[in-house]
Amino acid sequence: MTDISTDILVVGGGAAGLSAASEAASCGARVLVVESDLQLGGQLVKQTHKFFGSKDEYAGTRGYKIAGILLDEIEECGRGVEVLTNATVTGYYAEDKTFTVMRGEDSYSRIKARRAIIATGASERLIPFPNNDLPGVYGAGAVQTLMNVYGVTPGRRVLMVGAGNIGLIVSYQLMQAGVEVAAVVEAMPRIGGYWVHAAKIRRLGVPILLKHSIKEALGGRVVEGAVITELDDKFNPTGQERSVDCDVICLAVGLSPTTEILSHAGCKMRYVPELCGSVAERDRTMRTSNPDFWSAGDAMGIEEASAAMVEGRIAGLCAANSLGLPAKMEKLDEYWARLDHLRAGEVGEKIRSGIVKVSRGGWEACCNE
Amino acid sequence: MSESESLFNSGILTDERPGAIRPPCDKWKAKKSGLVIVECPQRIPCNPCATSCPTGAILPFEDINDTPVIDYEKCTGCAICVAVCPGLACFVVDLSFGKDKALYKLPYEMLPLPSKGDSVTCLGRSGEALAKGTVEAVIEPKRDKTYVIHVSAPKEFANDIRAIKVGG
Ligand SMILES: Cc1cc2nc3c(=O)[nH]c(=O)nc-3n(C[C@H](O)[C@H](O)[C@H](O)COP(=O)(O)OP(=O)(O)OC[C@H]3O[C@@H](n4cnc5c(N)ncnc54)[C@H](O)[C@@H]3O)c2cc1C
Ligand code: SF4
Ligand code: SF4
């Protein structure tokens, strides 16, 4: 087992982690980014569509290109930022303030860091239904990885479960890859994602069936179809059923924040439905109740890459500042103005009401110890 | 929930709303190169249409969540917004194109890419085939893989044709 030490450990190399790393390094911190995947970029590398947001967050640019922009920024930090890919942080031992990291399949290291920024993103939720263990039932993330990272189509004809942004966008990407989308089923009486994303696939002929869900997958050894059912106002099946011809069932029913390391570190957590799971309490600097730990991005509540990047910058700036490095703390107000801007709309309302529940004012005082 | 409301809730525009207002008829008919039609009726944090319109025809947003408002006097039908809108919610329809035909400038990100002269199927908001159209030009304004396809097709569908299907 080897030992590594750094000023600031960033766990997760997605939108939030990369932004945090470059911000902290630009203040003069020595930063180590640890990423489980073989490459940096997190969810961004799978997003072939153009992003929303404003120019500051690269609106109108495709997700994977934004990953490229962030990687160039990391490159420019030179030796300020070191990166370990194919390396997973498996735990934090509070008694000796040490992280363990598994590199590849069988090599372990210990990491000692003065500060940590947890930017581990989210994991996909699944729902139970008969035969959901058949090959051909995928999470939307897996479908995206197959198509957009490895260039492999998952099948011929897909039933999409869930009309949030992920379900809508992945449906569109499937069609771009030449895969048919049989239908999108959504339990709620309206789409959860942006209306324009729904309109995009509607005009290409994909039905979006509101108040519908999957009842079961059909097939012996692999998915050969599905039965969908209509739901009433209380989400109970109405008995109106029909079968759908498909060889792939793609589940896009939501994400939950990945927070194990924050729990290891004893950060105060709280279940907040608006943020899609149990998340850490935080102050304005994205610091948790453990004064050595910051967090940002989907790990702090499921939101968007645009917000994840700004939160990452806040965490990077403030973690560096807490080490006594020359951080331009006046940027904090500007970053918050950007977040407030992004969260001002109808869709941001949910996020705002969730964040209020986990925001704590008091910890900022210990910023400059 | 009414039929039209549930259609709208599933992504089909059923009537005019803020962010999805049609151009005034007289101006539209007279305008060479056409006018923009925006169908973006939900407040979302997005503004590239406004920030990239070269003439300021899509009025600057006060708040990034605003829905687009258009000054038709300023719109030149250049279709830059068609190419940059990440929601594929901007279209240009040129009613001055011909006697019976209008020129539809539509965003396209699918395969195969059509070529000038090809016959394509013009689709409405729920993917229904409305008419055959002829590809007049294939443009990639921002060199970013969003194409703007110029298709000539019957004028009567000016309020309906919003996509094309190539081949098959
Ligand atoms: C289909 C889809 C479409 C989207 N469209 C948009 C959009 O249009 N606009 C927008 O703004 N956002 C969009 N998003 C959301 C956006 O991708 C995410 O909000 C954003 O990527 C979150 O960034 P993050 O850094 O918090 O997490 P992630 O990008 O998920 O990165 C987390 C990283 O941490 C790594 N990791 C996790 N645990 C560990 C560990 N223990 N050790 C080491 N590494 C670890 C993971 O491998 C991952 O790379 C979309 C998401 C999806 C799925
Ligand atoms: S067509 Fe051109 S001028 Fe008209 S709104 Fe779009 S970008 Fe502006
Ligand atoms: S760019 Fe497109 S999706 Fe974004 S606000 Fe403008 S019209 Fe709506």
Side-chain angles (χ1 to χ4, degrees):
Chain A
M1 178 133 24
T2 50
D3 287 291
I4 305 171
S5 77
T6 183
D7 286 344
I8 298 180
L9 170 67
V10 176
V11 184
L18 293 177
S19 305
S22 92
E23 189 81 20
S26 75
C27 303
R30 276 189 314 135
V31 182
L32 172 67
V33 179
V34 176
E35 166 57 54
S36 317
D37 214 324
L38 299 178
Q39 57 175 336
L40 292 173
Q43 291 292 327
L44 284 176
V45 296
K46 300 189 247 172
Q47 308 312 334
T48 51
H49 63 288
K50 290 180 182 171
F51 272 33
F52 288 1
S54 75
K55 268 201 182 137
D56 285 337
E57 288 83 36
Y58 318 112
T61 307
R62 295 183 195 282
Y64 70 95
K65 295 243 157 131
I66 300 179
I69 295 172
L70 292 175
L71 290 178
D72 288 347
E73 234 187 89
I74 295 288
E75 196 72 27
E76 277 167 28
C77 297
R79 308 227 322 240
V81 179
E82 278 185 68
V83 174
L84 284 183
T85 50
N86 195 13
T88 302
V89 172
T90 54
Y92 174 70
Y93 296 85
E95 55 281 16
D96 41 15
K97 296 196 172 187
T98 300
F99 295 85
T100 48
V101 52
M102 183 176 79
R103 302 169 70 176
E105 298 283 302
D106 45 19
S107 137
Y108 282 84
S109 303
R110 271 185 296 253
I111 300 178
K112 276 217 184 262
R114 296 167 68 197
R115 300 287 186 265
I117 300 174
I118 308 303
T120 42
S123 54
E124 277 186 291
R125 290 194 199 150
L126 300 173
I127 47 171
F129 52 87
N131 287 333
N132 75 351
D133 57 345
L134 283 178
V137 179
Y138 290 90
V143 165
Q144 275 201 313
T145 305
L146 275 177
M147 281 195 305
N148 300 346
V149 180
Y150 298 112
V152 177
T153 56
R156 169 184 60 83
R157 197 170 143 93
V158 176
L159 172 70
M160 182 67 66
V161 182
N165 272 330
I166 295 180
L168 298 173
I169 290 167
V170 174
S171 295
Y172 186 71
Q173 293 177 351
L174 281 161
M175 298 172 84
Q176 288 181 306
V179 180
E180 240 185 289
V181 179
V184 180
V185 289
E186 166 61 52
M188 302 299 286
R190 57 183 301 176
I191 48 161
Y194 292 158
W195 188 91
V196 287
H197 285 318
K200 248 188 230 184
I201 59 170
R202 289 296 255 152
R203 69 174 81 101
L204 297 175
V206 177
I208 297 182
L209 305 171
L210 301 175
K211 301 173 80 172
H212 274 76
S213 188
I214 181 163
K215 185 180 169 222
E216 62 178 315
L218 301 174
R221 295 181 50 229
V222 294
V223 170
E224 289 163 12
V227 178
I228 58 171
T229 172
E230 193 188 46
L231 303 175
D232 65 18
D233 293 340
K234 300 207 164 67
F235 303 105
N236 294 314
T238 61
Q240 285 278 13
E241 291 178 3
R242 72 175 112 154
S243 61
V244 175
D245 167 33
C246 60
D247 60 352
V248 173
I249 296 169
C250 181
L251 301 177
V253 291
L255 302 169
S256 302
T258 303
T259 56
E260 288 85 352
I261 300 168
L262 294 166
S263 299
H264 289 182
C267 302
K268 269 195 203 143
M269 308 293 288
R270 180 192 269 253
Y271 180 79
V272 182
E274 295 89 337
L275 301 177
C276 304
S278 180
V279 292
E281 295 188 355
R282 77 285 313 255
D283 67 6
R284 233 170 84 85
T285 74
M286 300 310 292
R287 193 182 218 168
T288 69
S289 66
N290 180 329
D292 294 333
F293 279 74
W294 279 254
S295 181
D298 281 355
M300 281 299 230
I302 307 304
E303 202 176 344
E304 298 243 285
S306 42
M309 288 187 276
V310 185
E311 284 190 352
R313 295 204 181 274
I314 293 176
L317 179 77
C318 297
N321 182 61
S322 77
L323 291 170
L325 293 164
K328 292 199 184 75
M329 288 302 282
E330 60 277 12
K331 285 204 272 185
L332 192 56
D333 285 333
E334 179 208 320
Y335 289 151
W336 270 102
R338 266 156 71 176
L339 281 177
D340 289 342
H341 214 51
L342 290 168
R343 292 170 177 158
E346 188 182 301
V347 186
E349 200 176 298
K350 195 179 93 174
I351 303 287
R352 275 179 286 141
S353 63
I355 287 175
V356 170
K357 297 185 184 170
V358 276
S359 292
R360 296 291 172 266
W363 302 324
E364 221 171 332
C366 51
C367 227
N368 258 321
E369 79 254 78
Chain B
M1 196 163 45
S2 73
E3 174 74 4
S4 114
E5 206 184 331
S6 57
L7 268 179
F8 179 77
N9 286 349
S10 74
I12 293 182
L13 193 70
T14 45
D15 44 20
E16 288 187 288
R17 322 180 159 233
I21 307 279
R22 286 182 205 146
C25 237
D26 44 336
K27 246 180 226 155
W28 195 5
K29 277 186 194 146
K31 187 76 174 207
K32 267 198 139 32
S33 300
L35 286 177
V36 71
I37 299 163
V38 181
E39 298 190 353
C40 184
Q42 181 188 33
R43 289 174 57 77
I44 51 174
C46 182
N47 67 9
C49 55
T51 56
S52 63
C53 172
T55 66
I58 300 185
L59 301 181
F61 291 9
E62 265 175 33
D63 175 336
I64 188 170
N65 291 281
D66 286 350
T67 52
V69 177
I70 292 114
D71 178 352
Y72 295 101
E73 294 296 335
K74 291 189 181 152
C75 178
T76 60
C78 71
I80 295 290
C81 56
V82 178
V84 300
C85 166
L88 306 195
C90 300
F91 316 86
V92 170
V93 179
D94 176 3
L95 296 174
S96 76
F97 180 75
K99 193 161 145 286
D100 309 313
K101 298 230 164 132
L103 188 69
Y104 297 81
K105 304 179 188 174
L106 306 170
Y108 186 79
E109 298 185 328
M110 293 286 151
L111 290 170
L113 195 64
S115 317
K116 189 170 181 231
D118 286 358
S119 169
V120 295
T121 308
C122 299
L123 308 175
R125 294 188 186 83
S126 54
E128 73 279 22
L130 292 171
K132 283 280 170 202
T134 306
V135 175
E136 304 290 344
V138 175
I139 298 165
E140 190 187 4
K142 293 285 167 185
R143 304 257 145 241
D144 68 350
K145 301 193 173 122
T146 300
Y147 292 86
V148 177
I149 313 285
H150 293 204
V151 181
S152 58
K155 251 183 206 177
E156 61 197 274
F157 298 112
N159 285 318
D160 301 306
I161 289 176
R162 293 298 175 262
I164 53 164
K165 185 173 188 306
V166 179

